[in-house]
Amino acid sequence: MKIRTLSGRDELELFNRIPYLLNHELDDDLAGGRRKPEWMWVAIEGDDIVGRLAYWGAGEPQVIDILDFDDLDVGVELLTVALKTVGKADYSRFVPADWRSSPEPVRLRMAAVERLGGTLLVERLRLEWKAGTDLPPLDPRLTFRPVEGRDELLSMMIPVLEGTLDAHDRDNLTRMTPAEAAADHFDGEFARFTTPREWWQVALADGEPVGFVVPARNSYNPIISYIGVLPAFRGRGYINGILAQGTRTLAETGVERIRAATDVGNVPMAKAFERAGYVTFQRQIDMTW
């Protein structure tokens, strides 16, 4: 068995011999610099591809989001070579919403990561609102205006991180202050959005900010990127109206679908999405080292 990186985009057909729902995105990712041939590995035995691995990243490899094999030893060897060559990155995998009814493929990939010291960080719900679904009702208690700039949004993101149920945020807070974590999120994900920043909305109750929502479009889909209620105003049901505003902002542009995600353990947020007409169409396994 030989393990090597792709020689170039011309080998994408070889890489895509193993089916996965991200395959149709890979060519655009390579063109856009979100993937590089030297971040994409194949395990070859004779004329057959028996395993593959790929990183995704904006400028640098950030996550291993493709890892396919049938033999555990192949998966472990792929990971070993890639991690030594490209470097460590969290592992993330989209899985069927009902994956536990046939758990073997998911458990096999997790076992390879675990063999090299990886641990489960979180399981997430991948959510979708489709055009034709009733729009969620607005909250008459709330009015909205665009976020005035980076400083205002950071001033709301920082307290929202206090007591957060989001596993990724909580993991970041083991290494960063809330201010550093908020700035890292803004200057990373938010800075890459090319959709209008007027879509980013502050929710006001009696003229006072109570929360915010960041609807946007990433490289793949319209999304609810970030949403939060300030700690002093939690427990009053404002999340429903804020999510409704973000959903309507995107729906009014004529999109066919809106994507979002939340941790399985973040039950209040999951229920808010359900009330707004979002359905769980997949889940996501995130592991870290």
Side-chain angles (χ1 to χ4, degrees), residues 78-156:
L78 268 169
L79 276 166
T80 300
V81 173
L83 294 176
K84 286 182 178 178
T85 307
V86 180
K88 280 190 175 180
D90 288 349
Y91 167 70
S92 183
R93 180 78 178 195
F94 298 152
V95 299
D98 63 346
W99 71 269
R100 283 182 174 80
S101 64
S102 300
E104 292 80 8
V106 177
R107 298 291 190 196
L108 182 65
R109 297 184 191 97
M110 293 177 70
V113 178
E114 289 166 350
R115 182 79 66 88
L116 295 177
T119 58
L120 178 67
L121 175 64
V122 69
E123 182 174 341
R124 289 171 63 78
L125 304 175
R126 299 195 72 213
L127 303 149
E128 184 175 70
W129 181 94
K130 288 187 176 182
T133 305
D134 289 341
L135 286 167
L138 296 173
D139 186 334
R141 300 173 296 172
L142 298 176
T143 58
F144 292 87
R145 63 164 173 79
V147 172
E148 292 179 351
R150 180 180 187 274
D151 288 346
E152 181 181 43
L153 188 53
L154 290 182
S155 73
M156 291 185 290

Side-chain angles (χ1 to χ4, degrees), residues 178-213:
E180 290 169 339
D184 183 70
H185 199 127
F186 188 102
D187 297 331
E189 181 182 2
F190 292 177
R192 294 194 296 270
F193 295 148
T194 59
T195 41
R197 291 199 173 184
E198 290 77 13
W199 291 0
W200 305 2
Q201 298 282 305
V202 178
L204 306 167
D206 298 323
E208 185 174 5
V210 299
F212 64 94
V213 63

Side-chain angles (χ1 to χ4, degrees), residues 16 43-44 68 70 98 103 113 115 128 137 156 160 173 211 257 268:
N16 281 347
I44 302 293
D68 293 302
D70 291 325
D98 63 346
V113 178
R115 182 79 66 88
E128 184 175 70
M156 291 185 290
V160 161
L173 291 174
R257 65 188 182 205

Side-chain angles (χ1 to χ4, degrees), residues 155-166:
S155 73
M156 291 185 290
M157 291 175 68
I158 292 167
V160 161
L161 287 168
E162 299 174 5
T164 179
L165 296 177
D166 184 275

Side-chain angles (χ1 to χ4, degrees), residues 205-226:
D206 298 323
E208 185 174 5
V210 299
F212 64 94
V213 63
V214 180
R217 185 184 181 98
N218 61 18
S219 300
Y220 311 100
N221 293 289
I223 60 170
I224 301 295
S225 173
Y226 207 106

Side-chain angles (χ1 to χ4, degrees), residues 174-277:
T174 66
R175 299 182 300 275
M176 311 176 192
T177 66
E180 290 169 339
D184 183 70
H185 199 127
F186 188 102
D187 297 331
E189 181 182 2
F190 292 177
R192 294 194 296 270
F193 295 148
T194 59
T195 41
R197 291 199 173 184
E198 290 77 13
W199 291 0
W200 305 2
Q201 298 282 305
V202 178
L204 306 167
D206 298 323
E208 185 174 5
V210 299
F212 64 94
V213 63
V214 180
R217 185 184 181 98
N218 61 18
S219 300
Y220 311 100
N221 293 289
I223 60 170
I224 301 295
S225 173
Y226 207 106
I227 186 169
V229 177
L230 297 176
F233 299 97
R234 289 173 180 161
R236 307 184 193 182
Y238 287 139
I239 190 64
N240 301 310
I242 298 172
L243 179 56
Q245 178 71 13
T247 301
R248 285 169 174 260
T249 296
L250 293 170
E252 288 167 2
T253 69
V255 300
E256 294 183 3
R257 65 188 182 205
I258 301 167
R259 294 278 174 85
T262 194
D263 293 358
V264 168
N266 192 345
V267 176
M269 194 68 245
K271 288 188 175 296
F273 277 114
E274 183 180 352
R275 288 191 293 269

